[in-house]
Amino acid sequence: MHRPEAVALTWDTGRLTYFELDAAADRLAAVLVSRGVRAETPVPVRLPRGPGYVVAMLAVLKAGGLIVPLDPAMPQERVAELIRQTGAPFIVDDDLVALADVTPPPGYRPAEVHPDQGAYVVFT
């Protein structure tokens, strides 16, 4: 990171520097890894657009998973069907993001990601 103090995200009520964004994504990635996310594990992200969504997407990638973006307004039946189809072990929502306010365990490192590895799955 060349300028960790530079602003990475801004929104109506705040901002995050690159350092803060990276640290938040690492914390959530550690939670995801502790819940079994490995290379190309599908991880549905059901959050409104905003800083939490950006942190969650980056965290899924850092954990090695596949981002499965879900619209928060999507009916629960459709969400359940997409989770079934992907075989996702859980969903990233506001409750899971709140768990990421802890320090990653000692020795945590982002997953190694290979160029031929997927990054996301999109349902239309």
Side-chain angles (χ1 to χ4, degrees):
M1 218 180 309
H2 295 294
R3 293 187 50 222
E5 75 287 350
V7 175
L9 289 175
T10 62
W11 62 98
D12 291 344
T13 58
R15 67 185 190 148
L16 283 176
T17 65
Y18 283 100
F19 178 81
E20 292 165 333
L21 174 61
D22 189 54
D26 278 346
R27 289 191 302 269
L28 182 54
V31 171
L32 299 178
V33 168
S34 75
R35 291 188 170 210
V37 174
R38 301 293 181 263
E40 296 190 334
T41 301
V43 182
V45 176
R46 190 176 189 197
L47 294 166
R49 291 182 185 208
Y53 187 77
V54 175
V55 168
M57 289 193 313
L58 186 55
V60 171
L61 294 174
K62 283 179 165 245
L66 295 170
I67 302 164
V68 182
L70 300 179
D71 184 342
M74 185 180 289
Q76 188 57 41
E77 298 78 28
R78 178 72 174 142
V79 170
E81 177 59 21
L82 295 179
I83 290 172
R84 186 192 66 71
Q85 287 181 26
T86 63
F90 57 88
I91 188 167
V92 174
D93 57 13
D94 287 325
D95 294 335
L96 191 60
V97 170
L99 288 177
D101 286 339
V102 297
T103 304
Y108 164 77
R109 294 176 46 103
E112 285 191 34
V113 180
H114 301 284
D116 58 344
Q117 187 173 321
Y120 60 90
V121 175
V122 177
F123 288 87
T124 58

